[in-house]
Amino acid sequence: MSLDPETFEALLDAVRRFVAERLRPLEGQVDRDDAVPGEIVREMREMGLFGLSIPEEYGGLGLNMAEEVRVALALGRTTPAFRSVFGTNVGIGSQGLVMAGSDAQKAAWLPRIASGEIVTSFALTEPGAGSDSAAVQTKAVRDGEIYRLSGTKRYITNADQASLFTVMARTGGPGASGVSAFLVPSDLPGLSIGQPEKKMGQQGAHVCDVNFDDVPVPAANRLGPEGEGFKVAMRVLDRGRLHIAAVCVGISERLIADAVAYAGERRQFGKPIAEFQLIQAMIADSKTETMAAKALVLEVAAQKDAGETITMEAAAAKLFASETVGRVADRAVQIFGGAGYIADYGIERLYRDVRLFRIYEGTSQVQQIVIAREVMKRGG
Ligand SMILES: Cc1cc2nc3c(=O)[nH]c(=O)nc-3n(C[C@H](O)[C@H](O)[C@H](O)COP(=O)(O)OP(=O)(O)OC[C@H]3O[C@@H](n4cnc5c(N)ncnc54)[C@H](O)[C@@H]3O)c2cc1C
């Protein structure tokens, strides 16, 4: 899957303009109101952003990974809450269906996911199962032509908007091989959504609990065979981690641009602070690390498009890019000085926003564990 180069460049250009002209002016408002305006969501639908990664035969744009990360880099130029509006449809919410769904399941859901008519969420994490995600306790008990789902999922992005959840639930014994994946429509009886959590950053992107109280899910909604759900979830996350790494690089580039502009204007000791080598060192370190992260993201995307397994590579890209954007945001606050701590300048908002990237879709420690395990499996 990929677009012809001319169409893709036109899309990328449209995304860059949308970010610069429509999204950036609204960053402060979205942070204050904790809501993305409806007209912006409509424009995102019209641009096809909900369907970036959905195959063209189901109404999406069918981008390959190299194209998707370039769009993610462009989206990183603004607060990542905007990307979250359609992020689950592009990534963790839809890709289990794309990878493991039957033709009938795909035909039933993907066109509406691609158009943004419906929002999808990915429900793996539970109160007792975070990093140890194979320990999920949500149960799916077979009862004739249905499964009965009971349990609680935690911190589920876009849960309050979602019409469809990809839910990982236990159908068998302990561990990963006892987990199956299900497509669960939000209007089934017994399914309820908690209040959006109050968060540190990325206001406008909501996370909620999702509660299942004996929810009757048709057996036809199982995604792939019983016991394969955890594998599906991990494949979805391989891809998701690379996308997140690209967003981290985009935000790093934005932060560097903002810091350079400020350093050129702000004068102390009779000259712009950009002339001080201690400021230059921070800019140089941020740029170097961001370039390295970008090169890694583009390289891993190419490997994915070549059909290679990228479990280790995507974990490395996510680890490096998310740690990088954390350091770059910290240096940007430092370069802005007191203004870096004051809301009107927007840097403190990005500083809060980027903290999440070291936590979700696997913490930095989980990425280290994945990388070490895969490297040792390959013998170095
Ligand atoms: C805003 C937000 C959005 C989210 N969206 C979703 C979503 O859409 N769907 C979903 O399913 N989940 C989602 N999550 C959940 C997220 O993926 C988890 O929070 C994350 O995986 C960490 O799990 P935990 O919070 O339980 O932390 P824990 O697993 O309790 O980790 C606590 C600390 O212990 C460390 N740790 C744990 N195990 C080890 C180990 N073996 N070795 C070393 N250190 C270890 C961790 O790295 C961390 O530092 C979201 C979370 C947030 C905050």
Side-chain angles (χ1 to χ4, degrees):
M1 293 190 295
S2 70
L3 285 182
D4 71 84
E6 212 171 297
T7 310
F8 177 69
E9 291 304 327
L11 170 73
L12 198 54
D13 194 45
V15 171
R16 286 184 182 132
R17 270 188 285 117
F18 182 59
V19 166
E21 293 165 17
R22 299 289 291 137
L23 303 186
R24 284 182 62 148
L26 291 171
E27 289 173 346
Q29 179 191 317
V30 167
D31 190 47
R32 279 190 305 277
D33 298 354
D34 195 16
V36 175
E39 76 208 62
I40 292 292
V41 179
R42 272 194 297 281
E43 287 174 45
M44 289 169 170
R45 284 200 196 106
E46 281 160 19
M47 290 177 74
L49 295 179
F50 285 83
L52 290 174
S53 62
I54 313 279
E56 281 176 282
E57 60 185 302
Y58 296 108
L61 292 174
L63 302 190
N64 65 23
M65 205 65 216
E67 291 165 341
E68 186 181 321
V69 296
R70 288 183 66 201
V71 173
L73 287 168
L75 292 165
R77 292 300 186 112
T78 185
T79 176
F82 287 119
R83 186 210 64 92
S84 258
V85 170
F86 53 87
T88 48
N89 278 35
V90 170
I92 56 177
S94 71
Q95 291 303 303
L97 179 52
V98 171
M99 290 171 188
S102 65
D103 288 346
Q105 288 169 337
K106 289 180 187 178
W109 293 104
L110 284 179
R112 284 182 290 158
I113 295 172
S115 68
E117 181 190 331
I118 63 167
V119 168
T120 66
S121 284
F122 175 81
L124 177 62
T125 304
E126 297 181 357
S131 299
D132 186 8
S133 52
V136 291
Q137 294 298 316
T138 296
K139 278 198 167 42
V141 178
R142 184 83 191 230
D143 181 4
E145 282 313 296
I146 60 166
Y147 285 86
R148 296 191 174 278
L149 252 68
S150 299
T152 298
K153 295 292 178 178
R154 180 137 296 168
Y155 308 147
I156 304 308
T157 301
N158 288 338
D160 57 347
Q161 304 290 324
S163 302
L164 183 71
F165 293 91
T166 304
V167 180
M168 269 49 69
R170 192 160 298 285
T171 48
S177 61
V179 177
S180 303
F182 296 90
L183 298 168
V184 182
S186 62
D187 58 0
L188 289 181
L191 191 154
S192 61
I193 310 292
Q195 285 300 310
E197 303 285 354
K198 195 168 178 331
K199 315 196 304 320
M200 178 190 288
Q202 301 205 17
Q203 314 305 355
H206 296 172
V207 297
C208 312
D209 274 7
V210 184
N211 303 302
F212 303 92
D213 182 9
D214 208 23
V215 177
V217 179
N221 284 26
R222 200 185 60 228
L223 208 47
E226 264 198 17
E228 293 288 310
F230 191 74
K231 277 191 210 151
V232 172
M234 292 304 111
R235 280 174 62 207
V236 167
L237 286 176
D238 283 352
R239 211 181 162 289
R241 286 167 181 168
L242 187 53
H243 179 109
I244 294 295
V247 175
C248 291
V249 173
I251 300 176
S252 294
E253 290 177 336
R254 153 80 184 270
L255 284 160
I256 294 167
D258 286 1
V260 165
Y262 186 80
E265 282 166 19
R266 173 70 179 163
R267 297 177 72 86
Q268 286 295 282
F269 301 96
K271 51 173 108 158
I273 61 169
E275 291 185 22
F276 301 129
Q277 288 184 334
L278 292 174
I279 295 287
Q280 292 174 8
M282 288 193 272
I283 291 169
D285 286 349
S286 291
K287 185 66 185 172
T288 306
E289 290 171 27
T290 300
M291 287 173 68
K294 188 173 188 171
L296 183 56
V297 164
L298 296 175
E299 167 72 16
V300 178
Q303 288 175 343
K304 168 101 177 64
D305 287 334
E308 294 175 29
T309 302
I310 56 157
T311 302
M312 190 275 281
E313 291 79 359
K318 202 256 186 185
L319 172 66
F320 188 70
S322 63
E323 294 284 335
T324 292
V325 75
R327 287 190 295 272
V328 171
D330 190 72
R331 292 188 198 111
V333 171
Q334 200 66 19
I335 291 170
F336 272 71
Y341 202 73
I342 301 298
D344 276 353
Y345 293 84
I347 294 298
E348 64 83 36
R349 188 191 59 247
L350 288 169
Y351 179 82
R352 287 185 281 114
D353 286 346
V354 302
R355 190 62 185 84
L356 180 60
F357 294 125
R358 284 182 269 168
I359 296 171
Y360 75 172
E361 299 209 14
T363 64
S364 287
Q365 290 69 40
V366 164
Q367 310 308 331
Q368 288 174 311
I369 291 166
V370 170
I371 296 161
R373 184 191 66 212
E374 294 297 315
V375 171
M376 289 190 285
K377 226 194 266 176
R378 297 177 198 180

